[in-house]
Structure formats: C-alpha cells, structure tokens
Amino acid sequence: MTHEVLSDRDMQNILAKKAVIFSPEMQQHEGCLWVSGSGIFSSYRSMFVNLEHLEYGEIKLSVTITDDDSGRTNYLVWGYGDSEDKASIGRMLVFLIDDILDGRGERITIDYK
C-alpha cells in the first residue's frame, strides 16, 4: 500500500503544493517520488520523497527539499507500516514537509563540480 501512495496524482499535487513547488513535474518509481519546478525565491526547487519498508514491518518516510544549491532533509520511522492507509501516510509526509520548511532537519549543500 505504501508505494501506491506516491503514484496517486492527487497526492503528488498535494505534496508539491505543500512544498511550494510551482509548475511541478513529477516522476515516480516504486517507493520514490521526484518533484521539480520553481520556488518562491528560487528558479529551481526540487523534492525527493522515499518510502522504505524496514526489517520489522516499520516504514521509513524521508523527504528532501532543495532550492538551487542547498536544502534540508528529514525522515520519520513509523512502526506500523502494514496498517497505514493513504491518508495517514500523506499526513506524515505533510508533517515532514512542514518541518523542513520551518527550518528543521539536516542542512545539505549540492556541489555541481
């Protein structure tokens, strides 16, 4: 069920809107979603979402948002992966996006060399 969440077009649009990505282009494969477009104060903004099943039935949700050459990343491990529905996973992803936009999470820098 968790991988199907990222293939849902409505969910993709909600996540892109929440991450403030304008004119989003989306690519989804299995448990990964890549969204790219423009941001408010940048010419390029991207978001990478990954849903991964762990060893004991947990799921790891991770979100990375970048503007041009820097950004933030954060993750959440949820212990009840098999019992989660689309709405619950969507709420957790929105929580992570809000957390990153509020300046929390690990800061990352992109080196284009």
Side-chain angles (χ1 to χ4, degrees):
M1 172 58 173
T2 54
H3 292 168
E4 290 84 18
V5 170
L6 296 181
S7 65
D8 182 275
R9 278 309 257 186
D10 291 333
M11 179 66 73
Q12 292 175 354
N13 287 323
I14 289 168
L15 296 176
K17 184 175 181 179
K18 193 66 180 169
V20 194
I21 298 176
F22 302 105
S23 302
E25 294 181 22
M26 287 96 151
Q27 294 181 6
Q28 188 271 330
H29 180 71
E30 294 180 3
C32 300
L33 173 66
W34 185 272
V35 182
S36 59
S38 60
I40 293 176
F41 303 110
S42 64
S43 59
Y44 181 75
R45 175 171 267 198
S46 67
M47 174 174 64
F48 180 74
V49 177
N50 184 46
L51 300 180
E52 177 183 357
H53 286 275
L54 301 178
E55 190 172 343
Y56 298 106
E58 311 95 346
I59 57 171
K60 179 180 179 181
L61 301 92
S62 60
V63 176
T64 302
I65 299 175
T66 62
D67 287 312
D68 296 325
D69 61 355
S70 65
R72 293 194 175 273
T73 187
N74 211 344
Y75 71 94
L76 171 72
V77 175
W78 183 253
Y80 305 101
D82 292 338
S83 64
E84 290 305 312
D85 59 6
K86 181 169 40 172
S88 297
I89 293 172
R91 283 191 296 273
M92 288 186 271
L93 290 171
V94 166
F95 169 80
L96 286 171
I97 291 168
D98 285 341
D99 203 46
I100 289 170
L101 295 179
D102 287 341
R104 290 184 285 278
E106 184 178 344
R107 185 158 175 64
I108 59 171
T109 303
I110 301 167
D111 187 6
Y112 291 107
K113 291 182 183 180

